[in-house]
Amino acid sequence: MKHKLPTPSLSRAVARALCPATTTQCDSAFPSKTVTTANFEPSLAELRRHVRSSDFVAIDLEMSGITSAPWRESLEFDRSDVRYLKVRDSATKFAVVQFGVCPFRWDSSNNSFVAYPHSFYVFPRQEHAGLGPCDEFLWQTTSMDFLAKYQFDFNACIHEGISYLSREQERKALRSLNSTYDSEWSDICKLKDVRDMPLLSAADILFTARMKNKFREWRDGLLHEQNLEDQIQGDTGDSKFQEMFFEMHPALRLNGFTSHQLKLIQLVIRKHFKDLSYVSVNSEASNLQQLVVYTDSKDELNSLLKKVKEENHGAEKMKIQAAVGLRHVIDLLSSEQKLIVGHNCFLDLAHVYSKFIGPLPDTPEEFVTSVNKCFPHIVDTKILLNTNFMLHEKMKRSRKSLAAAFTSFCPQIAAGSTSSYPGSLSHVKVEVEVDDVRSSSWNPGGKHEAGYDAFMTGCIFAQLCSDLGIDYKLHDSSKQLALDEKLQNYVNRLYLSWMHGDIIDLSTGNKVGDSSPSYSLRKRYPKILFENIVIIWGFPSKLKANEVRECISKVFGPTSVVSVFHLDATAVFVQFSKTELVSDFLSLKNTLEGSDGALLVLHPLSKLLEGGNTCAANYGTYKEICGSPLSECLFADQVKAVGIKWKTKLPEFKIALGVEEHENPSVGNVNIAMETVKMTKPNTIDQLRNAPFRRQVSTHEVEDSCVAEANL
Amino acid sequence: MASVFQLRRRFLCTSSKWKVKQVTTSNFEESLQEIKTHISSSDYVAVSMARTGSPSPPSWLRPLPFDTAQTAYSKARRAAHRFQVLHFAVCPFSVSHSDKLLAHPYNFVLFPRDELKMGMPAYSFSSQTSLLASMARRGFDFNACVYNGISYLSRAQESAAKVRLGAALPSLREVKSSSSPTVADTVFVERTRSRIKHWRKTFERSGTSTSRDEELINSLKNIVLGSEQFRSRPCMTIDVCSERQVQLILEMLVDHSDDLLPLLIPTKSGTTHALRIVLANSKEDKELLERELQNFEEEESKKIRGFREVIDSISASQKPVICYNCLNDCTLIHSKFIAPLPLEVDEFVSSLHSIFPNVLDINYLMKKHGTMRKVTNIPSAISYLNNNFFAPVDLEIPDQATVKEGKIHGLNALRLGYLFMKLCSILKISPNVTDSGNKHLAPELEDFTNVFHPCSPPIQDSSNAGDVGVWTNNTRKISCEHLVFLWGFNLGITAGMLKSLLRSSHNIFSREFDVKLVDKSCAIVVFWQPGVSKQFLDIMNSEEMSGDLKELVSNGLRVTSYETYDRICRLGLWEMDLRESLERALENSWCDEKSNCGTKSSEIHWYNDNVINLDDL
């Protein structure tokens, strides 16, 4: 696990304090380009150049959180489709706070790679009304704490984070813009909106009369063919009316009126002047302007209005373009079709998709095919590490977290110098270039800074490729690295569920079995049969997993229960040895609750059903609940919030008996001896909950640690 | 005090010169001691907090003028549950005879850090980008907040945490003489008594024997029998089913008070589920243990409670609390520092009453003052009062010199105190009435305490409503039964267009009615004559629709009564669009026929603030 390696990044904190703005000029710190709204435009242009000439681009994301509720954490009992639903929930609820992009280019003259690490601070602000990402997002407290531990700058993120529009949001904004464009002169002549207002107050009447005179005078002045110069001279006294030419027409700009007064002016113009028109212009050059324009004829007016309309439309379009923001980076990566490298990047890709492309689809298969359309070549270093036997041997002892892999594969880079390390020739050299300054030595960078994490990922990938026998010297730069046959077994494959070794092929959407050595090691643990699983919730809170097992075993036999696993304090999974037992258990529960209390008290299951709130269902219900957009903290509360009212989900063939009926438990008052709650060693769920999620931000370690726990 | 830095502003109030002590983890301990003394010597405590989100237009989740106390509370409950408070300003102040204000403002920076690694106080929380951005614009330091913010646990979370930490509380409860025991009680007491006796005997015997073998046997026996130890003293645990049984055991143990110390083991809900009885070596040993436990508990609790200590000391002082918006602030305080909010507003009000007996709503006080309707925030209210009234307030803030330079946040609590004094002076209310040495609230002020009403700008201020022109400023009181929710019309339609559309659709609309858009997809229709709304709903549910109305319904027009709205708020069917929520409620309605959402307060003020007084409920 990355965060377990004790590397206090004090140097980085100091470096940041000294050079907060952009790059770290200091020789010691890891050079990485920090991008905020202040320097976004030039940095983007520069990045564009680097990406175009790159061989591959490594990415990494830092998020505001991983899981919206404890039971949504990655669990042993998650089928791959459930895993996807959990990832989808995470990607839709949390925000990306930092986006790391690091293009790598092979420099044949130096026989080394050149890396260009960038960290973009991201904040989903709404730049313009109604234009932008969803206004609300979630923070996970422990993730914030974790980010803080690595000196994440929340102020930079919130003050100067770059916003974005997804492709879908941009399309929507343009569509609604076009529809207003198509509708009649909506924005220009606001006349449509203004119905005849009764002039209520004396002030309104006086004001209207004054305006009428004012405009008449001005119009008459124009018609008397006076020298316009004189006119302007003569009229400067009133700052509310500014004489000007608008598209070769004489016009008055209205300044400092209230919206009510502007409405009255519109009414006056419409009622009394055929040759004057009220125009509201919203162009690029100037902000919103209210004008009264004189035109000679109706045709002239129409062509003028058309022009204004187009201009306003153009300005709106520009606004939308500007709001696209950070998505330009994604569009760049997508259009250049470069090989994208990530480390355990399924969640990262889900975030990229939901933030920059559109809403996440319902199934993992649809998701990966859509991702493939945007990014045709993706490689996950985790797949490379696990599925290649040779690499796996090398990694055997250490854990497969990003930082651990980095130190074991690129020790010379991790140590901070590419030149002085007396390493073997097989080590790929990597230099870093920021703002045209090349450096080859630095102090180890700050982990969990997106730019540095992306850099580490890229270095590992470069080294792994070299270990696989790809010779960069012979490599033709015109030939794509992604198409190299030595990489074909690894490109476009992602771990959908690491624990079950479900790998999904992005180009086909098919699941590929994991043949990796690490998976075969895990194989000796019993495979989970999801159709044999019952999920039970709402039982008495002090009931522990072994008591649940005991209770059920008394009824269905000592070998009936394979395993019991706490989802959280309010719910357990019970895996039966046979599929039939699932329906047997559910029907028995249903019958017991239908019967009178006396029968139940004596029954071995009474302990489980005590309190009358115990509910049970098969695995399908668990999936259904994971798919809900809600996230209550406890699973039992979540089920309630989702709106499930039944207590037992009977197997399909018995549905005719009535599923929704048994809502009336007659077993509330069974008085049984209380359990003594002592300090026991934490059960599985406590460990699961306490171990990884306290300090996490990126998922890299989540699955590792979960497996580690599961394997205990 | 030697370094008293006096601030006298008789005519102008430039609050930018005011300084508020900023409190983070580094100076929390000392500040806590200070503020505790200030709270106990003050007359009032003003509070104000910054949250990470609050529903705003165009969302229907904001408080709306047609909300009843219940629906407004449900919305506030949702917001309090979802959002986090990032800083909490507290300003205890006292008032002397000559309208002199002595204030001690503090601003506590909070962060719900999971100190105990238990997913508490908040596993995750929601935030609104627009709100965070505006906090950033005002210079709020988010790094200081996350890095050094003070954590806390609510009372409910504290007791849950104690159970999970296994820390048992020594029973400090007095032994009250209870009502006459029943037979069952006697049996229970006798059984427990004999259990304890037997248990004690085993130790007495083992105490006399010194043989090693016996010791070994004893320790083996302990393991086999599951004897427990508490701080290297033997103990036994007795399960109880009720507080009554706890009481009985405690009474019984009075006879053995020399060396037996009973400890209560609480459950998550705060009740007791077992008693642990510890056997001490002697009376001195028992006292030692008691002290030890008390100190330990103090230390632990301090760590656990964190910022809540401040709330607890305000509560313990029973001083009147002043806030700007009672409903929003008190729901937030209750949900973060006391316990999860109950479903019903009545329960909330009574629960809050036990914590803060008097809560004064400044916003309400200003509105009652009449001319202040348009003022929306505290600084503008102050400048309004300064510009229009001559009401000098002498403000003194001691300890100003000790405040470090830097960004000052949390001025609002201080401003509230200042505003309160100004209002009192303008309204000629004496803030304190001294009655035989005891200070208490002036009777005029009592009318403004414990008022939980939704604070919302009047509906005519919302942007899409300006051009309708059928709305007058008259306050008309109408019953919820007169209101009908309507959706399924074309998006982008204005209320005026919708009204004329309806008028031409059916002759029921020949009666006086008004239409208002709630959000972009849903409107509310008010029929001014009683019974018409019922008729309209009946028509919409019957087959005999005809003409244009039939056409509208075929195109998807749907209606429902106010009762559905009430239900979505209660059930928490919070969708982004109101129509989605209403549809969901209608879909679900068949399964809970029993919901008799009795509209206790079905009267609302159309256009007016919906005021429900605590004491009337």
Side-chain angles (χ1 to χ4, degrees):
Chain A
M1 264 185 267
K2 273 192 277 189
H3 55 260
K4 281 204 172 162
L5 291 171
T7 321
S9 29
L10 189 68
S11 61
R12 181 166 155 236
V14 171
R16 278 197 186 176
L18 290 175
C19 335
T22 48
T23 50
T24 45
Q25 298 291 328
C26 334
D27 213 70
S28 53
F30 177 76
S32 162
K33 178 122 181 155
T34 306
V35 188
T36 61
T37 42
N39 61 344
F40 178 62
E41 290 297 330
S43 306
L44 180 65
E46 205 182 296
L47 182 68
R48 218 174 274 270
R49 195 157 49 82
H50 295 317
V51 167
R52 283 208 179 112
S53 61
S54 70
D55 292 284
F56 63 90
V57 183
I59 60 162
D60 184 76
L61 272 66
E62 299 294 327
M63 284 79 91
S64 66
I66 308 280
T67 46
S68 54
W71 57 270
R72 284 207 191 259
E73 286 162 11
S74 176
L75 301 174
E76 193 185 350
F77 277 78
D78 289 343
R79 201 164 57 195
S80 58
D81 51 348
V82 169
R83 176 89 199 101
Y84 172 73
L85 289 176
K86 286 186 171 179
V87 166
R88 188 177 72 157
D89 176 76
S90 173
T92 38
K93 285 195 180 124
F94 291 101
V96 173
V97 290
Q98 207 180 36
F99 186 63
V101 183
C102 187
F104 279 74
R105 181 175 62 84
W106 178 251
D107 182 355
S108 47
S109 63
N110 255 346
N111 267 342
S112 72
F113 269 106
V114 187
Y116 307 89
H118 287 72
S119 290
F120 292 86
Y121 276 105
V122 191
F123 188 68
R125 69 185 85 243
Q126 283 187 308
E127 307 257 12
H128 304 285
L131 244 188
C134 175
D135 190 36
E136 229 177 286
F137 67 89
L138 225 53
W139 290 94
Q140 196 178 344
T141 319
T142 46
S143 295
M144 292 179 89
D145 229 16
F146 174 76
L147 284 168
K149 203 174 134 201
Y150 291 98
Q151 277 86 39
F152 182 81
D153 191 344
F154 291 95
N155 286 338
C157 172
I158 295 166
H159 283 256
E160 304 178 84
I162 303 150
S163 188
Y164 52 84
L165 273 191
S166 75
R167 289 184 184 172
E168 178 91 7
Q169 284 161 338
E170 186 193 13
R171 225 171 305 159
K172 246 187 203 158
L174 285 175
R175 206 182 303 137
S176 82
L177 177 64
N178 288 334
S179 73
T180 51
Y181 179 78
D182 293 337
S183 70
E184 282 179 276
W185 313 104
S186 53
D187 269 347
I188 316 140
C189 286
K190 284 231 162 122
L191 293 176
K192 295 270 165 335
D193 301 350
V194 184
R195 270 173 302 277
D196 280 334
M197 282 189 297
L199 298 177
L200 292 171
S201 65
D204 282 356
I205 295 163
L206 286 176
F207 179 80
T208 310
R210 167 62 55 84
M211 288 301 119
K212 199 167 130 190
N213 280 340
K214 181 86 203 169
F215 290 118
R216 175 158 298 140
E217 257 172 45
W218 177 68
R219 199 251 334 249
D220 293 349
L222 290 175
L223 292 179
H224 283 108
E225 290 178 85
Q226 272 184 3
N227 190 339
L228 274 165
E229 295 300 318
D230 292 351
Q231 265 266 281
I232 290 167
Q233 295 296 316
D235 233 336
T236 41
D238 198 345
S239 62
K240 283 187 167 179
F241 301 94
Q242 195 188 344
E243 288 240 38
M244 58 180 290
F245 282 98
F246 178 71
E247 303 289 337
M248 310 294 284
H249 300 282
L252 275 181
R253 192 159 94 195
L254 309 175
N255 297 322
F257 289 101
T258 66
S259 58
H260 178 70
Q261 287 173 328
L262 287 173
K263 259 180 208 165
L264 292 173
I265 291 173
Q266 286 180 58
L267 280 174
V268 169
I269 302 278
R270 189 175 63 174
K271 256 191 187 158
H272 303 287
F273 302 95
K274 289 279 166 289
D275 44 7
L276 295 185
S277 42
Y278 181 94
V279 178
S280 123
V281 187
N282 186 14
S283 65
E284 273 175 72
S286 57
N287 288 323
L288 193 66
Q289 287 187 338
Q290 313 295 336
L291 302 173
V292 173
V293 186
Y294 171 81
T295 45
D296 285 325
S297 66
K298 200 143 193 139
D299 292 346
E300 221 172 273
L301 175 69
N302 281 342
S303 73
L304 176 76
L305 289 182
K306 198 170 169 205
K307 203 155 182 193
V308 172
K309 189 172 117 173
E310 260 154 27
E311 213 161 278
N312 286 359
H313 184 71
E316 280 301 311
K317 245 185 170 161
M318 285 299 291
K319 250 190 218 166
I320 295 171
Q321 277 301 308
V324 166
L326 191 70
R327 208 196 74 223
H328 285 303
V329 177
I330 301 299
D331 285 346
L332 171 67
L333 297 180
S334 170
S335 63
E336 291 296 324
Q337 310 240 318
K338 291 290 176 189
L339 177 63
I340 309 284
V341 183
H343 184 81
N344 199 7
C345 59
F346 194 77
L347 179 64
D348 287 359
L349 286 173
H351 268 287
V352 166
Y353 193 91
S354 85
K355 303 289 179 294
F356 305 113
I357 314 293
L360 286 165
D362 290 332
T363 65
E365 291 79 13
E366 284 170 79
F367 168 64
V368 293
T369 37
S370 314
V371 166
N372 194 241
K373 273 183 210 143
C374 299
F375 307 106
H377 315 292
I378 296 175
V379 72
D380 191 332
T381 45
K382 190 145 182 167
I383 294 267
L384 267 169
L385 284 173
N386 287 319
T387 51
N388 184 294
F389 184 71
M390 195 176 69
L391 299 176
H392 183 73
E393 281 299 294
K394 207 168 165 181
M395 271 300 280
K396 214 165 169 183
R397 282 209 209 121
S398 65
R399 296 199 144 180
K400 277 153 226 92
S401 79
L402 181 59
F406 186 54
T407 34
S408 75
F409 283 97
C410 319
Q412 84 291 5
I413 309 172
S417 64
T418 46
S419 46
S420 60
Y421 194 79
S424 61
L425 284 170
S426 69
H427 278 132
V428 176
K429 255 173 70 181
V430 181
E431 294 184 337
V432 178
E433 190 181 311
V434 168
D435 288 338
D436 299 323
V437 178
R438 192 79 71 91
S439 43
S440 54
S441 70
W442 52 81
N443 279 343
K447 279 176 292 173
H448 298 289
E449 198 220 7
Y452 187 69
D453 279 4
F455 170 73
M456 290 200 286
T457 308
C459 290
I460 294 166
F461 176 70
Q463 185 63 47
L464 293 182
C465 285
S466 149
D467 291 355
L468 281 173
I470 294 171
D471 193 345
Y472 300 111
K473 283 172 210 149
L474 305 174
H475 218 273
D476 186 5
S477 60
S478 62
K479 201 179 134 203
Q480 277 224 34
L481 191 60
L483 303 175
D484 195 298
E485 71 259 14
K486 292 195 182 82
L487 276 179
Q488 282 327 290
N489 284 333
Y490 311 107
V491 170
N492 283 337
R493 297 201 170 177
L494 290 182
Y495 273 115
L496 191 55
S497 159
W498 203 79
M499 261 172 257
H500 303 298
D502 285 333
I503 294 177
I504 196 159
D505 189 324
L506 298 186
S507 44
T508 59
N510 295 332
K511 283 191 200 100
V512 189
D514 191 344
S515 56
S516 70
S518 63
Y519 183 60
S520 59
L521 281 178
R522 277 179 277 131
K523 267 255 164 86
R524 61 193 148 103
Y525 297 99
K527 193 158 173 61
I528 293 162
L529 297 167
F530 295 101
E531 62 273 22
N532 291 6
I533 287 176
V534 169
I535 179 163
I536 308 172
W537 67 91
F539 47 82
S541 59
K542 58 190 182 300
L543 217 57
K544 285 192 282 273
N546 55 349
E547 290 171 292
V548 174
R549 178 199 284 267
E550 216 171 86
C551 196
I552 296 173
S553 301
K554 268 186 209 157
V555 185
F556 296 99
T559 55
S560 58
V561 177
V562 176
S563 55
V564 177
F565 182 89
H566 262 288
L567 178 61
D568 69 2
T570 63
V572 286
F573 287 113
V574 175
Q575 188 180 202
F576 285 102
S577 55
K578 287 188 223 104
T579 312
E580 307 90 80
L581 289 174
V582 170
S583 53
D584 289 354
F585 172 78
L586 293 175
S587 346
L588 174 67
K589 176 179 178 292
N590 197 27
T591 330
L592 279 176
E593 285 170 339
S595 66
D596 59 354
L599 183 62
L600 183 60
V601 176
L602 301 171
H603 201 277
L605 277 184
S606 66
K607 205 168 164 189
L608 185 64
L609 303 181
E610 190 206 329
N613 294 319
T614 308
C615 305
N618 56 13
Y619 198 80
T621 306
Y622 175 57
K623 184 187 169 185
E624 187 189 316
I625 288 161
C626 283
S628 150
L630 303 169
S631 269
E632 294 292 328
C633 214
L634 294 174
F635 186 79
D637 295 340
Q638 166 81 5
V639 181
K640 242 181 258 160
V642 168
I644 287 176
K645 295 209 175 65
W646 42 259
K647 287 182 62 192
T648 310
K649 175 101 170 176
L650 288 179
E652 251 85 81
F653 58 87
K654 281 185 184 168
I655 227 153
L657 295 175
V659 179
E660 261 101 4
E661 277 168 16
H662 299 282
E663 282 197 39
N664 200 8
S666 46
V667 279
N669 314 325
V670 191
N671 197 355
I672 65 144
M674 294 273 183
E675 288 287 325
T676 317
V677 182
K678 278 171 260 166
M679 262 304 268
T680 51
K681 71 173 177 102
N683 52 11
T684 346
I685 182 64
D686 283 335
Q687 288 176 16
L688 266 177
R689 224 176 314 148
N690 291 340
F693 288 96
R694 301 290 144 233
R695 300 138 300 198
Q696 297 251 37
V697 189
S698 62
T699 41
H700 301 155
E701 305 89 355
V702 174
E703 300 203 325
D704 282 353
S705 49
C706 281
V707 168
E709 302 294 354
N711 289 357
L712 280 174
Chain B
M1 201 168 281
S3 63
V4 167
F5 180 71
Q6 285 203 351
L7 258 168
R8 281 165 199 274
R9 313 231 153 255
R10 278 193 182 274
F11 307 109
L12 271 172
C13 145
T14 45
S15 53
S16 57
K17 293 257 177 75
W18 292 346
K19 285 184 184 171
V20 175
K21 185 162 186 181
Q22 306 291 308
V23 186
T24 57
T25 42
S26 57
N27 59 344
F28 179 59
E29 277 298 317
E30 58 185 74
S31 308
L32 183 64
Q33 294 314 316
E34 275 172 39
I35 201 170
K36 272 184 177 168
T37 49
H38 292 321
I39 288 171
S40 58
S41 64
S42 67
D43 295 329
Y44 294 89
V45 182
V47 296
S48 161
M49 53 218 86
R51 46 177 85 209
T52 58
S54 77
S56 57
S59 167
W60 69 276
L61 298 166
R62 73 189 194 275
L64 291 166
F66 53 79
D67 275 327
T68 60
Q70 177 63 47
T71 58
Y73 167 71
S74 298
K75 286 177 179 180
R77 179 177 180 262
R78 170 187 175 273
H81 177 69
R82 250 177 124 74
F83 300 116
Q84 192 55 48
V85 44
L86 294 185
H87 69 82
F88 196 112
V90 184
C91 179
F93 64 90
S94 44
V95 186
S96 62
H97 310 289
S98 51
D99 275 356
K100 192 172 167 187
L101 188 65
L102 185 70
H104 301 276
Y106 288 83
N107 184 41
F108 294 87
V109 179
L110 305 184
F111 182 69
R113 198 172 304 102
D114 191 359
E115 305 270 15
L116 301 169
K117 310 283 177 230
M118 282 183 186
M120 286 192 280
Y123 183 85
S124 62
F125 60 89
S126 197
S127 69
Q128 280 178 340
T129 50
S130 46
L131 238 139
L132 291 187
S134 79
M135 280 175 87
R137 248 176 278 126
R138 274 176 276 132
F140 185 75
D141 188 346
F142 291 94
N143 286 348
C145 172
V146 182
Y147 291 27
N148 299 319
I150 306 153
S151 192
Y152 58 86
L153 282 191
S154 74
R155 288 184 186 175
Q157 284 170 331
E158 182 185 352
S159 41
K162 282 195 173 151
V163 172
R164 284 173 63 181
L165 289 173
L169 288 164
S171 95
L172 298 168
R173 212 181 306 181
E174 289 169 48
V175 183
K176 292 171 279 184
S177 58
S178 57
S179 54
S180 55
T182 61
V183 180
D185 286 349
T186 324
V187 171
F188 175 76
V189 169
E190 284 315 311
R191 230 186 56 208
T192 316
R193 194 196 298 277
S194 69
R195 258 184 82 188
I196 293 174
K197 220 163 107 191
H198 280 290
W199 172 66
R200 277 186 70 149
K201 247 184 208 156
T202 57
F203 291 103
E204 271 157 24
R205 249 188 291 131
S206 64
T208 52
S209 70
T210 46
S211 117
R212 266 191 193 178
D213 292 345
E214 210 147 320
E215 250 176 54
L216 183 71
I217 288 166
N218 268 327
S219 60
L220 277 176
K221 201 161 81 187
N222 285 352
I223 293 165
V224 174
L225 296 175
S227 305
E228 302 156 67
Q229 286 218 321
F230 184 80
R231 296 194 169 230
S232 66
R233 293 170 185 92
C235 73
M236 80 179 288
T237 308
I238 301 170
D239 294 329
V240 289
C241 301
S242 64
E243 290 295 307
R244 167 86 183 147
Q245 290 187 341
V246 175
Q247 197 59 40
L248 289 170
I249 295 179
L250 292 181
E251 269 174 47
M252 181 192 75
L253 285 174
V254 172
D255 311 338
H256 307 270
S257 56
D258 281 355
D259 52 1
L260 286 182
L261 182 69
L263 306 175
L264 304 185
I265 302 172
T267 61
K268 273 180 194 171
S269 50
T271 57
T272 311
H273 75 81
L275 271 171
R276 181 173 296 156
I277 295 169
V278 186
L279 180 65
N281 287 335
S282 62
K283 195 163 179 162
E284 292 76 48
D285 185 46
K286 189 197 157 192
E287 276 159 15
L288 182 74
L289 178 67
E290 240 169 338
R291 263 200 310 277
E292 209 177 278
L293 282 175
Q294 252 160 17
N295 290 342
F296 173 75
E297 196 206 345
E298 285 284 292
E299 287 303 307
E300 276 297 294
S301 301
K302 251 185 207 158
K303 247 189 272 165
I304 292 172
R305 279 185 235 137
F307 170 72
R308 208 194 76 223
E309 292 260 353
V310 177
I311 301 292
D312 283 347
S313 59
I314 298 174
S315 171
S317 75
Q318 302 275 302
K319 298 276 151 82
V321 172
I322 294 180
C323 46
Y324 186 69
N325 183 326
C326 265
L327 184 65
N328 280 351
D329 291 349
C330 292
T331 45
L332 195 68
I333 290 171
H334 193 285
S335 110
K336 301 294 176 216
F337 306 116
I338 311 298
L341 289 163
L343 271 174
E344 300 293 320
V345 64
D346 309 12
E347 282 173 55
F348 160 69
V349 168
S350 67
S351 165
L352 189 74
H353 193 81
S354 64
I355 297 146
F356 300 142
N358 291 303
V359 186
L360 254 162
D361 192 315
I362 287 287
N363 199 17
Y364 182 55
L365 193 64
M366 287 198 296
K367 282 190 175 163
K368 278 285 147 167
H369 181 230
T371 50
M372 305 277 299
R373 296 206 134 260
K374 293 214 171 115
V375 177
T376 50
N377 60 32
I378 302 169
S380 66
I382 291 182
S383 66
Y384 174 86
L385 289 183
N386 278 331
N387 293 337
N388 291 282
F389 296 93
F390 178 75
V393 171
D394 225 355
L395 175 65
E396 184 185 326
I397 310 172
D399 317 322
Q400 283 279 291
T402 62
V403 175
K404 277 181 236 141
E405 288 295 329
K407 281 278 177 193
I408 297 294
H409 294 278
L411 273 169
N412 272 354
L414 179 59
R415 289 191 186 120
L416 270 178
Y418 183 79
L419 191 58
F420 170 72
M421 282 303 293
K422 265 202 177 302
L423 280 169
C424 283
S425 150
I426 292 164
L427 298 175
K428 309 243 177 327
I429 300 172
S430 161
N432 284 315
V433 175
T434 317
D435 180 23
S436 61
N438 294 324
K439 281 181 173 179
H440 62 84
L441 274 183
E444 296 96 319
L445 284 175
E446 292 202 354
D447 294 344
F448 300 101
T449 57
N450 305 331
V451 180
F452 295 93
H453 66 108
C455 169
S456 65
I459 201 167
Q460 67 265 30
D461 284 357
S462 64
S463 56
N464 56 359
D467 52 350
V468 178
V470 291
W471 304 94
T472 61
N473 280 317
N474 297 337
T475 302
R476 288 171 79 169
K477 207 174 179 185
I478 52 147
S479 161
C480 294
E481 285 157 29
H482 294 192
L483 298 174
V484 168
F485 286 85
L486 187 90
W487 68 98
F489 43 81
N490 293 335
L491 295 186
I493 199 167
T494 65
M497 284 153 79
L498 188 59
K499 187 175 180 182
S500 52
L501 200 67
L502 289 173
R503 191 179 281 135
S504 60
S505 68
H506 195 273
N507 60 10
I508 195 162
F509 289 108
S510 59
R511 247 76 63 91
E512 194 193 353
F513 77 103
D514 278 322
V515 181
K516 189 98 241 160
L517 288 180
V518 181
D519 62 5
K520 67 180 191 302
S521 63
C522 187
I524 188 164
V525 180
V526 54
F527 291 96
W528 295 108
Q529 281 164 308
V532 182
S533 61
K534 179 89 175 53
Q535 269 177 43
F536 176 54
L537 287 172
D538 288 344
I539 290 169
M540 291 294 280
N541 286 329
S542 68
E543 301 286 305
E544 55 189 88
M545 252 182 296
S546 58
D548 288 346
L549 189 60
K550 192 171 184 179
E551 188 62 26
L552 284 175
V553 173
S554 311
N555 282 330
L557 192 76
R558 299 285 305 270
V559 292
T560 190
S561 63
Y562 194 88
E563 192 236 355
T564 317
Y565 178 70
D566 189 73
R567 199 162 64 226
I568 57 176
C569 292
R570 266 169 213 271
L571 294 179
L573 302 174
W574 310 112
E575 301 282 341
M576 287 307 282
D577 288 343
L578 177 55
R579 61 170 178 178
E580 293 295 329
S581 291
L582 290 169
E583 298 262 18
R584 261 189 75 191
L586 291 178
E587 276 168 25
N588 290 345
S589 62
W590 60 270
C591 29
D592 39 24
E593 300 282 274
K594 60 178 190 292
S595 73
N596 52 340
C597 319
T599 36
K600 278 171 205 147
S601 53
S602 58
E603 291 257 296
I604 59 166
H605 299 256
W606 188 245
Y607 263 0
N608 193 12
D609 301 298
N610 171 24
V611 177
I612 283 142
N613 203 309
L614 168 70
D615 299 316
D616 295 344
L617 285 171

